[in-house]
Amino acid sequence: MARGKSRMSNEINASSMADIAFLLLIFFLVTTTIDVDKGILHKLPPWTEEEPPEAESNDRNTLVVLLNSLDMLLVDGDEMQVKNLKETTKEFIENPASRPDLAESPDKAIVSLQNDRGTSYDIYIQVQNELKAAYRELRDEYSMRNFGKLYKDLDLEKQKMIRKDIYPMKISEAEPKEIGG
């Protein structure tokens, strides 16, 4: 009775498995996109061999922002939470009460940012965002008062006027140092 049945092999032909695996690997390598950190968009001035001109700056017009290696924020020597930085920066730039310890005018205000080499990237980005948000809100408020629209909804000429003449973003960032913690 057993002689009548044909013998079938129990093995699977695996000779083409390596080719299929290789093709799948190539397929995934070609079709997969890898997230790349975009970083912070800054437009730097063009490189020049000339010495930069001495900036005549009144200490009153400079808001000093320090980040130490323990991610502590100091603004003009006072410890501060990052969430309060935007309002402090706005008040410094605009100086609505004409206080003698704040900037003379928005176009003279400079924010000096200095961080330690040990500062975490996360807090550094948070501080950058708060500083830029302060300028963005000031521009929006000015735009709403004078044109009835948000800054982003204005035509390019008006945006440029606000950006260049009214609220120029002057954030000075120095090389990281060993400030300590």
Side-chain angles (χ1 to χ4, degrees):
M1 189 159 171
R3 288 185 182 173
K5 287 190 171 182
S6 65
R7 297 186 91 188
M8 294 183 64
S9 174
N10 292 335
E11 297 177 5
I12 297 174
N13 185 2
S15 62
S16 62
M17 294 296 271
D19 294 336
I20 292 171
F22 183 73
L23 288 174
L24 284 173
L25 178 66
I26 297 297
F27 173 77
F28 285 115
L29 287 175
V30 170
T31 59
T32 304
T33 58
I34 299 172
D35 283 340
V36 177
D37 290 335
K38 292 181 180 175
I40 301 171
L41 298 176
H42 281 290
K43 184 176 181 183
L44 299 175
W47 175 256
T48 177
E49 294 290 330
E50 299 175 11
E51 287 289 321
E54 285 292 323
E56 292 183 27
S57 173
N58 189 346
D59 287 342
R60 165 186 180 175
N61 293 324
T62 305
L63 179 70
V64 178
V65 178
L66 297 173
L67 277 169
N68 68 11
S69 62
L70 301 174
D71 293 344
M72 293 172 57
L73 177 66
L74 293 175
V75 178
D76 276 344
D78 299 326
E79 190 172 340
M80 181 179 289
Q81 298 292 316
V82 174
K83 65 183 178 185
N84 300 328
L85 180 61
K86 181 174 62 178
E87 290 305 319
T88 302
T89 305
K90 283 175 62 177
E91 184 181 7
F92 169 77
I93 294 168
E94 196 159 53
N95 194 6
S98 300
R99 289 177 30 194
D101 58 331
L102 300 180
E104 294 174 46
S105 65
D107 62 324
K108 293 182 178 177
I110 299 170
V111 178
S112 173
L113 175 60
Q114 177 77 53
N115 60 304
D116 189 279
R117 293 184 195 282
T119 302
S120 72
Y121 190 68
D122 180 48
I123 193 78
Y124 174 76
I125 295 297
Q126 287 179 33
V127 167
Q128 286 275 345
N129 285 339
E130 292 298 312
L131 294 176
K132 288 183 178 181
Y135 276 101
R136 189 173 47 248
E137 284 188 11
L138 285 171
R139 290 173 179 169
D140 276 341
E141 289 169 4
Y142 180 86
S143 177
M144 288 300 290
R145 273 193 316 264
N146 294 294
F147 304 109
K149 295 178 181 177
L150 289 174
Y151 173 77
K152 67 176 183 165
D153 296 331
L154 295 175
D155 59 51
L156 293 178
E157 187 175 311
K158 289 178 182 170
Q159 284 183 359
K160 183 178 178 182
M161 184 267 301
I162 294 172
R163 193 177 56 243
K164 299 277 185 188
D165 300 334
I166 310 297
Y167 292 109
M169 187 181 297
K170 295 180 180 177
I171 299 175
S172 168
E173 190 171 342
E175 288 282 323
K177 293 183 178 174
E178 297 290 334
I179 298 171

